[in-house]
Amino acid sequence: MTVIGLDHVYLTVSDFPRSEAFYDGVMEQLGFRKGTKAIGGDPHAHYFNPVLQVSIRPARSESEHDPYAPGLHHLCLQLSNTAEVDTAAGRLRDLGVPATEPRLYPEYDPDYYATFFEDPDGLRLELVARSDEIAERWNDLHVFVNPIGELRRRESGSD
């Protein structure tokens, strides 16, 4: 069995109209389309592309987002390459969204290139350039825990 992708993510928001305006701008710039089907009598906004759906709905209680409380820490969307991350960050800033300057984050991985920004509730969002190493090397990864590290140790001869 192989999970082939993330199908959808639901985010709860404290102020639906404010968040809908934010996500409308962001998701349109990222190439998503929008559906507005209400569910259970509550308004929803469903942003989708050929492989992923991100939906927002009103929260049922009021509290500030705490990325270190149980639940979602951040949402990272993957783009094809660094040029797309650069373009997206520029488009977000043009919308008035304070996206960080895209850069490498070698503390995550040597080729990890990303920009970060927040939604109106303080949920951290990230756009990252895709790294194909895991997909390309999948059949070489034989252990469950730290397979990339194990593969690199074997390749460097430090066994």
Side-chain angles (χ1 to χ4, degrees):
M1 173 186 337
T2 301
V3 174
I4 59 170
L6 181 64
D7 186 76
H8 64 274
V9 174
Y10 261 72
L11 305 174
T12 53
V13 298
S14 64
D15 181 333
F16 187 82
R18 177 184 69 171
S19 292
E20 184 178 29
F22 171 85
Y23 280 100
D24 279 0
V26 168
M27 300 309 266
E28 184 175 19
Q29 290 303 312
L30 295 175
F32 283 73
R33 303 296 186 263
K34 179 183 177 186
T36 58
K37 181 181 178 188
I39 298 175
D42 291 322
H44 284 60
H46 308 281
Y47 304 97
F48 58 94
N49 69 17
V51 297
L52 176 65
Q53 176 182 316
V54 176
S55 294
I56 62 169
R57 59 156 295 129
R60 290 190 176 155
S61 64
E62 291 187 29
S63 64
E64 290 188 25
H65 177 72
D66 179 354
Y68 294 98
L72 183 66
H73 181 271
H74 73 282
L75 177 63
C76 179
L77 301 175
Q78 190 179 75
L79 300 178
S80 295
N81 54 54
T82 58
E84 287 188 356
V85 173
D86 291 339
T87 298
R91 288 181 181 178
L92 292 173
R93 288 193 292 272
D94 288 347
L95 288 172
V97 175
T100 64
E101 191 64 36
R103 69 174 181 88
L104 284 170
Y105 289 85
E107 62 271 30
Y108 301 147
D109 210 41
D111 64 348
Y112 201 98
Y113 189 81
T115 183
F116 298 87
F117 57 103
E118 290 185 354
D119 83 351
D121 286 305
L123 174 63
R124 190 174 193 190
L125 300 163
E126 174 183 357
L127 302 174
V128 68
R130 177 175 173 80
S131 172
D132 290 326
E133 181 179 17
I134 291 174
E136 291 170 355
R137 308 286 310 270
W138 184 254
N139 291 328
D140 299 326
L141 305 177
H142 301 293
V143 298
F144 179 67
V145 178
N146 298 322
I148 296 286
E150 177 63 25
L151 180 62
R152 289 181 179 151
R153 276 191 297 285
R154 280 189 280 141
E155 289 177 343
S156 71
S158 60
D159 285 339

